Structures are given as structure tokens and as C-alpha cells.
Amino acid sequence: MVNPTEQDERNYLEEIKERISFALQRTASRVNEFSDELRQTKEYLHEHQSGLDEADMVAAWQSINRMANTGEETVEQRRRLMKLVSSPYFGRIDFRANGNDKELSVYVGLTTFIDGAQRLNLIYDWRAPISSMFYDFELGEAQYKTPSGVVTGDISLKRQYKIRDGVMEFMIESAVSIHDEVLQRELSKSADDHMKNIAATIQRDQNQVIRNEHAQVMIIQGVAGSGKTSIALHRIAFMLYRFRDSIRAKDVLILSPNKVFADYISNVLPELGEEQIPEMEIEELASEILEKRYPFQTFFQQVTTLLERPHPQFIERLKYKSTFEFVKLLNKYLIHLENTSLTHVELKVAGIVVPFPFVVEKFKAWQRMPMHRRIPEVVQEVLQYIRKEVRRKLTGSEKARVHEAVPRMFNIRSPFEIYKDFYSWIGKPEMFRVMPGTQLEYAGVYPLIYCKIRLEGMDTYDHVKHLLIDEMQDYTPVQYAVLARVFKCRKTILGDINQSVNPYGASAAEDIEEVFPQGELVKMYRSYRCTWEISQFASGILPTPGLIAMERHGEKPQVLGFATHDKEIEAIRERVVEFEKSGHHSLGIICKTQQQANSLFEEIKWEKAHLLNPASTSFSQGVIIVSAHLAKGLEFDEVIVPFASTIHYQSDMDRRMLYIACTRAMHRLTLTHEGEQSELLEAL
């Protein structure tokens, strides 16, 4: 039975829906009006353009542009209203500011809704300053920051709602924290084929990260399932709201691990009322900077090599190039080049001998500039020196002589040649390796880029005003040194050291702080994705100090052993049949390697199964067969980890792959193996 208070809220919801409907009708009419007016103006201009003077033409086009802009704004307003139709708001607080007799009911939703007729703010955007109290405070004293100062007061009521398709499914009212109950309800649901927005269930510590508008570099170290990617995306949405006059969606860039993950997170910002944000894989960035001149191994191929053919020399090269010491040596070498790049050649023009120390002095005076870009500046300095000495303008042939002679004084080589020479200079030529087909090893790509930037410079990505870097643990110090030079903007960097797929070159949050000393580090220990039982199981594989597992319980993970490979495959098929009857939406069959995933896909012969590989570009519901590397960042209702035998899972890297696979499961986890189970599971 609906209580009177809840009935009042249901009545109010109907009133709000009606007002939104009227507002939609008005905006639809305005859109049509602008469209008709724009068409008529263009037709008039076309018919009478021969009789119009230049001033009339300019005025007409200015009018057309104004109408087009106003029409676009109206279309955007309609788009935002459409988002409110099915779920206008999810929370409410009643707040009275100190010194104010009037209590304000603040309904919090995904976007603002103002009743135009009454000039009343009926729904507040979740990012609005006043809305922060919904996340940060319970009943009693509360405050929020505005651009003009802090407003203090008192919260007398706090409610949370679940409204779907315009119907209120439930309402919760409490004097204690109401987020936990709603959060539990949300977490118990099935996974979608895209990441969901979490605006209704943001926790207080998450809200502090999202609304931090001062940090130039925000570093988020979060355990598996802590929602760090979602928090980072909501932080971007907040920045777009807070600084809407200076930053747009197109000014933000996401460096994502792969296209599948990029597709998986693609819904979050549009759900929050923002446009889609450009994304790029780190390999795409490298290829662009290197102008596609040097083919190279991808990160996925590097991980595959480590899992399937981990040669000691390959590992040694990778480890060596993944340290801060390596970056320091590279810097020393580049300084050495700077000090030895000039060769003493007599430069005589118009009877004037240019002193060699003068050339050296001018070369070093431009030390903030990349070495190769200094040469034209030195040429100009030399020309000025000669003009001053001869006290006349120089002839064309004299200028040509300077332009020809000065570059010859420099030992100019390509970045590739210099990078290769670096290893001879440090006495480790064996660390330089070009794979068959003249393909660079992945570990050598970013040192080469670093040399290129220091030598030739590059046009930085100045149009990017905020950079989001996911899976930070998989980037090495030299990669961060490159990113710091390429992107001068604010950054949000996030990841989990336990989920590194390259244990020989992983970066912890503290390592990243060394590259970005101005960074603010936040550590998130609460895991929301997995049930308590799955969290405990995964922690047994790879201990996670400080982990706080949600008290959401489910069935214990199962480890099933089989006498033969065929029996294991048959058991996996049976689990797939169970899944299809369960009402769950997604089942991830997560293999250690892509080769295993490919083979299983052929063996299991399940028509509805989807196989993900490095070329995949989208994520969908149903049965997904995927490698642990590509599964990072994704989540599934159920997970099966096949081939969990001692043959396949034994090294430290295997341990991390197993941990990644297990922590993708929200509700149910099953591991299968033929013969002896992995020793990594024995403690469990």
C-alpha cells in the first residue's frame, strides 16, 4: 500500500512530467519555426541576391547565422528535455540556508529543468553546486561551495527515487545514509552492454574526486571494481558543466586501451547530457607522432609474446626500458649529443670569419628549443653578425652560403639513427632490437618518440584541454615522459597496479607522481562490482591490501576439475545453457590468451557466442569469449575461466591474468580445468 507521503511524491512526479511535456511541445514548435524562417530567408536571398548590395548581403547572412545558432541551441534544449521524460530526477533534499526563512526543495536529476513560465528551477543538474549536498551530507548541518563563497544551512529531508519509463518504482527516505540501499539494488541488477552512469549512486569519496576542479593532474589508483573509470568519466562531465564557457566535449581526449573498451564506455557521457568524447588508442598516437614511418609491435602483441614465448632476452630488454633510470640515461645521452653535435668548420662570408664560439653560444642560447629546430635560428644569428660587421645588406649568394654552411656544422642524423646509437653509447648494443620485417619492439617505440621530440620537436596537441588516461599501470616512465611533452593540459590518470598485463614494466601510482609531481593522488579501496564471495576468492589469488568488499552476497565461486579436455568443453557448454535460462544478460568466457580464446570459440560451437580479438570494435550482451587482456575494464553477470590448470597458470604474470579474469564477474564465477588445477588456486 502506498503511504500518503509516497502518494504525494507520485502526484508531484505526474505534475513534473506534464510540465516537461509542455516544454517539449514548446521547443518542438520553436525548432519548426526557426527551420521555416531559415528556409524562407535563404529562399528570399537566393531570389533577390542580384538586387542586394554588399551591406544587405552581409546583414542577411548574419541573420541566417543567428537563426541557425538559436535553432541549434533549441535542438540541444529539446535533447536535454528528452532525457528527463523517462526519469526526471533521482533524489531530493530539503535545505534551509542560514539566515533564510524559506526552505528549498532541491530535486536532483541528470540535467536542469526550469519552468519558463514561473521561472522556477524544478530540477537541478547533479553537477550543480547545491546538488553536491545530496552526495556529501545526511540530515542536519550541511554546506556547499559556490563561485561567490560557501553557503551553510540545514538539511531537514532526504529522499532517493528510482523512476523508470516515467513510473516511480520505489522511494527511500531515511535519516541515515540512503545511498547504500539504492546502491545494493543497482549492483544486484544484470550487466548491460554498455557502462551505466552512476549519478544516482555516487558516494561521498567519489564525489570529492569528481568535483575536484583544482587538480592539474588527478591520479586515481583503484582496486578492481572500484568504479574508477566511471568516476573519471563523471569527472569529465563535471568539468564540461563547470567550465562550459572554456571547454567542450571535442576538447577532451580519452586514451583507451582498445576499441572494445571505448565502445563499452561510450554511453556514459551522452547519458549525462554531454556529447561523445574523442578517443584514441596509445598505438594510434604513436603512429601519428612517428608519421607512420616506423612499423612496430603493438602492446597486445607484446603481452602475447610474454604469455606464449617469454624469452629471457626479450624480458630483459623490456625490463630495462621500463625504468626511470632508463629515462635518465636517455636524457644524459641527448645532453651529450647537444654538447657534441657541432663540428668546427671555418665559416667565411663576405670576407668575414664567423668565430666558432659565437655559433656554439647561439646554439646553446636556444636550448629550450629542439636541437634540429635551432639551426634556422642560428642561421639568422650568423646573418645578423655578418651584416653588422660588413655594415651592408648581404647579397643573395652570400645569404645562400650561410644557409648552406651553417647546417653542415651540425651532426644531423635521423631520430632512428640517434636512438640506435644511444645503446652503443651506454655500452648495451644488445638492447636495440628490430624484429623481422624491420618492426620495432613495442618497448622501443616510445624511447624513439622521445628522441624524435627532443631532436625535431612536434606540434603538441594544444587543442586537447583535458586528457583521460585509463589503465595507467600499463604505461612505462618513458611513455609518461612522452605524454607530458605532447599534452600540456589537465589530466585524469587512473588504473590498478594489480591489473597490469606487463609485470616487467608496470607503473604504480607513486611512480606516476614522480613524472607529475603536481599530481593529486587518490586511492580507492571499496569494490562495488563483485559479490563478497567473488572478491574474497580473487584476493586469495592476488592479495589486495586495504580492499573493502561490498556486503553483497551470492554463491561461492566454483573450481571444477575434469579428467579430459572434451569433458571440460562439455561442462562449459552446459554452463552456457544454464546462463541462457538464468535471466542474466552477459556471460564472459575469459581465457588467458587470444590463442586459447580462438580455439575455444571453434570448439564450443555456440551460435550466439561472440569472439573478441584486437580488431573488435564493439561490446555486446550474451556469451562473449575473450582474452584476459581484452577483458580489462569490462564486467559480466557471470564469468567462466577455462583451462585453469597448473600447465597454463603458474607464473606471476599468469597470476595477474587469472586475477583480472575473476574480477570481471558481478554475480557468478566458475573456473574449469583438465587434470591438475593451478597451484595459484590451491590456497583457496
Side-chain angles (χ1 to χ4, degrees), residues 22-40 66-82:
F22 283 143
L24 269 170
Q25 290 173 21
R26 286 196 301 272
T27 54
S29 299
R30 288 179 66 201
V31 168
N32 291 333
E33 285 170 15
F34 281 120
S35 180
D36 290 342
E37 193 176 345
L38 194 60
R39 179 178 50 77
Q40 290 168 10
R66 275 196 303 272
M67 280 187 282
N69 291 335
T70 308
E72 284 176 12
E73 289 169 9
T74 308
V75 169
E76 174 62 20
Q77 186 182 354
R78 184 174 65 177
R79 185 177 71 83
R80 290 181 179 275
L81 284 170
M82 289 293 290

Side-chain angles (χ1 to χ4, degrees), residues 319-331 476-478 480-481 506-508 510-516:
K319 286 167 73 174
Y320 186 76
K321 296 169 190 177
S322 300
T323 62
F324 280 101
E325 189 56 38
F326 176 77
V327 180
K328 289 174 184 173
L329 280 173
L330 207 49
N331 280 324
T476 60
V478 72
Y480 281 112
S507 292
E510 291 76 13
D511 298 325
I512 298 165
E513 278 189 297
E514 282 197 44
V515 183
F516 302 106

Side-chain angles (χ1 to χ4, degrees), residues 208-404:
Q208 305 309 310
V209 176
I210 290 167
R211 292 176 185 264
N212 184 327
E213 58 188 70
H214 306 294
Q216 285 301 306
V217 178
M218 174 67 76
I219 304 166
I220 306 171
Q221 159 66 40
V223 299
S226 58
K228 50 192 173 292
T229 302
S230 193
I231 291 163
L233 291 170
H234 285 68
R235 173 169 160 75
I236 295 297
F238 173 78
M239 292 292 181
L240 292 172
Y241 175 88
R242 174 68 180 84
F243 302 106
R244 52 189 173 275
D245 293 334
S246 59
I247 183 169
R248 308 283 292 274
K250 63 181 176 60
D251 303 325
V252 181
L253 179 66
I254 299 176
L255 277 185
S256 63
N258 54 65
K259 295 298 181 189
V260 171
F261 180 75
D263 176 64
Y264 179 63
I265 66 173
S266 63
N267 262 25
V268 175
L269 283 154
E271 279 185 6
L272 295 170
E274 299 297 340
E275 293 176 20
Q276 191 52 266
I277 280 177
E279 62 83 25
M280 178 186 274
E281 291 178 68
I282 190 74
E283 282 98 342
E284 290 179 90
L285 178 67
S287 184
E288 206 169 277
I289 295 173
L290 291 173
E291 300 162 338
K292 299 183 180 178
R293 288 166 57 192
Y294 305 100
F296 55 82
Q297 176 191 44
T298 66
F299 182 56
F300 186 88
Q301 290 167 338
Q302 176 185 277
V303 173
T304 300
T305 302
L306 287 171
L307 288 170
E308 296 177 354
R309 301 177 300 280
H311 302 304
Q313 295 90 341
F314 177 74
I315 292 172
E316 191 58 35
R317 289 194 298 274
L318 198 158
K319 286 167 73 174
Y320 186 76
K321 296 169 190 177
S322 300
T323 62
F324 280 101
E325 189 56 38
F326 176 77
V327 180
K328 289 174 184 173
L329 280 173
L330 207 49
N331 280 324
K332 278 185 184 177
Y333 170 66
L334 291 165
I335 292 169
H336 162 76
L337 273 187
E338 185 173 325
N339 291 332
T340 59
S341 62
L342 276 166
T343 305
H344 192 299
V345 176
E346 186 180 81
L347 180 56
K348 188 174 182 180
V349 179
I352 301 297
V353 176
V354 180
F356 182 67
F358 173 84
V359 178
V360 173
E361 177 195 338
K362 295 306 175 186
F363 175 71
K364 291 190 173 180
W366 294 95
Q367 61 183 345
R368 289 184 174 274
M369 191 177 282
M371 279 188 263
H372 290 184
R373 288 191 179 181
R374 298 185 208 177
I375 296 172
E377 304 297 338
V378 175
V379 166
Q380 293 305 315
E381 297 277 7
V382 169
L383 286 169
Q384 191 175 340
Y385 177 87
I386 297 169
R387 277 196 297 266
K388 200 172 177 182
E389 291 294 315
V390 298
R391 299 183 181 181
R392 64 172 172 82
K393 288 185 177 181
L394 301 184
T395 66
S397 61
E398 288 168 339
K399 289 179 184 176
R401 165 83 179 122
V402 173
H403 279 281
E404 179 189 338

